[in-house]
């Protein structure tokens, strides 16, 4: 993975500039509990990949990335707001190695902290150093992105109570839940940097494909990754009954007998809050048999290839742009997201 070293260095360097803006928008101030809760995830780190996409997209179309800093912070604020609310809905206890916001400050304050992060995203757009016309369009994209995030999350919740989800339904869900924010990031960066509609649309397609591929590859890694690199037991999604492209493909192709066998394990441990309690040998054996059923029908390979094809299509869309380091960074980022091992 050494070919990505320079890319990682630039991501890290640009994250510092984004953080300078981010913490101007959410400073330490009163009410202390509210702002401490809102700052909790941004302070915990995160790679700032989506803001990086905003900045690099602006530069890839010939614009000044410094003018994209506030829009980049807006995207990161929307991302963190969604994490706060997702963790409440899922009742997760850890995020980025820290206790989740609602575990530290309670559900009511966590909801308010998420709302504040959402509000601050639009303050960031207002402060952007671009023309009023560009601000209006950035705002439109950010609103659409936020709408799609909510729609994707709603579908994800709905899918929890359904035995089967089709491939098309799953793709619709992750298009909103993960595709929309990558699309919004790339589109906003392009809007900052150019008026050329063909460039803006090319980056929109790139972002949508990359965001969907990112989630699908996460689902693949849950079944094939090294547990130490993954940071959690393999097969967590199976134990918890998480609907994925892999599972959808399996249900559309498996025999009734194999579906029944798979369902004996799928979601069996959904009520267990702590994943580390699910690594007993008998549980591992059950999960291993379920994974073999997925392999039998080529469902894991199908999802992996689907993600890689999305990335190929994404990077093909960028060929309309002039060659540059910024464009190459976006291409490398897309490739990394479906080659990573964690």
């Amino acid at each position: 993975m050494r070919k990505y070293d320079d890319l990682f260095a630039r991501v890290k360097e640009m994250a510092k500039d984004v953080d300078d803006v981010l913490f101007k928008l959410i400073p330490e101030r009163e009410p202390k509990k509210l702002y401490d809760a809102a700052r909790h995830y941004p302070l915990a780190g995160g790679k700032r990949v989506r803001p990086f996409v905003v900045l690099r997209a602006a530069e890839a179309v010939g614009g000044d990335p410094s003018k994209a800093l506030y829009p980049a912070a807006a995207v990161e604020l929307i991302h963190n707001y969604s994490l706060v609310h997702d963790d409440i809905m899922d009742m997760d206890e850890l995020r980025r190695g820290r206790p989740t916001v609602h575990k530290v400050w309670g559900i009511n304050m966590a909801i308010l902290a998420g709302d504040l992060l959402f509000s601050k995203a639009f303050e960031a757009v207002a402060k952007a150093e671009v023309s009023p016309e560009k601000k209006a369009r950035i705002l439109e994209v950010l609103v659409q992105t936020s709408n799609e995030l909510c729609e994707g999350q709603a579908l994800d919740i709905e899918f929890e109570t359904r035995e089967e989800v089709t491939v098309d339904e799953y793709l619709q869900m992750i298009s909103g839940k993960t595709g929309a924010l990558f699309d919004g990031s790339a589109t906003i960066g392009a809007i900052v940097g150019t008026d050329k509609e063909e460039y803006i649309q090319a980056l929109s397609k790139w972002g949508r494909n990359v965001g969907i591929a990112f989630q699908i590859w996460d689902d693949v890694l849950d079944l094939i990754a090294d547990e130490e690199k993954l940071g959690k037991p393999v097969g967590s999604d199976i134990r918890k009954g998480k609907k994925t492209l892999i599972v959808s493909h399996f249900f559309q192709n498996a025999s009734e007998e194999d579906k029944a066998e798979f369902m004996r394990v799928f979601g069996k441990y959904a009520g267990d809050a702590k994943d580390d309690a699910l690594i007993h040998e008998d549980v591992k054996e059950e999960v291993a048999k379920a994974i073999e059923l997925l392999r039998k029908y080529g469902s894991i390979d199908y999802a992996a290839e689907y993600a890689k094809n999305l990335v190929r299509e994404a990077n093909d869309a960028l060929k309309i742009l002039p060659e540059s380091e910024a464009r190459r960074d976006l291409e490398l980022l897309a490739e990394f997201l479906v080659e990573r091992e964690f």
Side-chain angles (χ1 to χ4, degrees), residues 56-309:
R56 275 328 223 178
E59 193 167 2
V61 297
D64 179 356
S66 69
K67 294 186 181 299
L69 280 169
Y70 272 97
V75 165
E76 185 67 10
L77 287 161
I78 291 290
H79 176 54
N80 279 271
Y81 128 79
S82 72
L83 297 181
V84 173
H85 285 192
D86 282 359
D87 287 344
I88 295 169
M89 286 182 270
D90 295 340
M91 296 310 294
D92 285 337
E93 297 185 2
L94 289 174
R95 167 76 65 178
R96 294 172 183 165
R98 292 187 174 194
T100 48
V101 173
H102 68 271
K103 288 297 292 183
V104 179
W105 287 277
I107 289 175
N108 290 346
M109 191 61 72
I111 291 170
L112 285 172
D115 292 346
L116 179 66
L117 291 166
F118 185 77
S119 172
K120 288 289 184 177
F122 296 95
E123 180 182 335
V125 174
K127 292 179 180 291
E129 297 178 21
V130 295
S131 69
E133 292 76 18
K134 284 185 182 287
K135 279 186 187 179
R137 188 163 182 192
I138 290 168
L139 181 62
E140 184 181 350
V141 172
L142 204 62
V143 168
Q144 179 61 29
T145 297
S146 301
N147 290 344
E148 288 193 61
L149 279 172
C150 294
E151 290 162 3
Q153 180 67 9
L155 286 173
D156 199 20
I157 292 169
E158 179 190 322
F159 292 170
E160 290 175 3
T161 58
R162 289 174 50 182
E163 187 168 301
E164 293 187 29
V165 172
T166 68
V167 166
D168 287 345
E169 288 172 329
Y170 175 77
L171 291 171
Q172 180 188 358
M173 183 272 287
I174 61 167
S175 180
K177 193 168 180 181
T178 63
L181 197 52
F182 273 91
D183 182 347
S185 300
T187 303
I188 287 169
I191 290 168
V192 171
T194 188
D195 293 319
K196 292 183 178 179
E197 194 60 34
E198 63 271 28
Y199 286 2
I200 295 170
Q201 292 308 314
L203 277 154
S204 173
K205 180 177 180 178
W206 179 90
R208 183 70 58 161
N209 278 23
V210 168
I212 295 171
F214 173 72
Q215 182 59 58
I216 293 172
W217 192 253
D218 255 10
D219 299 340
V220 170
L221 286 178
D222 181 73
L223 302 176
I224 69 169
D226 179 273
E227 287 192 353
E228 288 189 13
K229 291 181 179 178
L230 190 61
K232 62 178 181 178
V234 167
S236 295
D237 291 348
I238 291 175
R239 288 191 289 270
K240 294 178 179 179
K242 182 181 174 185
K243 309 299 192 301
T244 66
L245 182 64
I246 301 161
V247 172
S248 293
H249 179 272
F250 171 78
F251 274 110
Q252 286 188 195
N253 292 278
S255 68
E256 292 303 317
E257 182 182 353
D258 284 342
K259 286 182 188 178
E261 182 68 24
F262 183 78
M263 287 304 294
R264 291 191 182 97
V265 182
F266 189 61
K268 183 177 179 180
Y269 302 95
D272 293 82
K274 292 187 176 180
D275 208 35
D276 58 4
L278 308 176
I279 56 175
H280 303 298
E281 287 306 313
D282 55 339
V283 178
K284 283 188 173 184
E285 189 174 331
E286 286 181 326
V287 171
K289 288 178 180 177
I291 292 173
E292 282 309 306
L293 284 172
L294 297 175
R295 291 189 189 280
K296 176 181 177 180
Y297 289 92
S299 299
I300 298 172
D301 289 342
Y302 166 81
E305 190 56 30
Y306 197 102
K308 289 178 183 292
N309 281 336

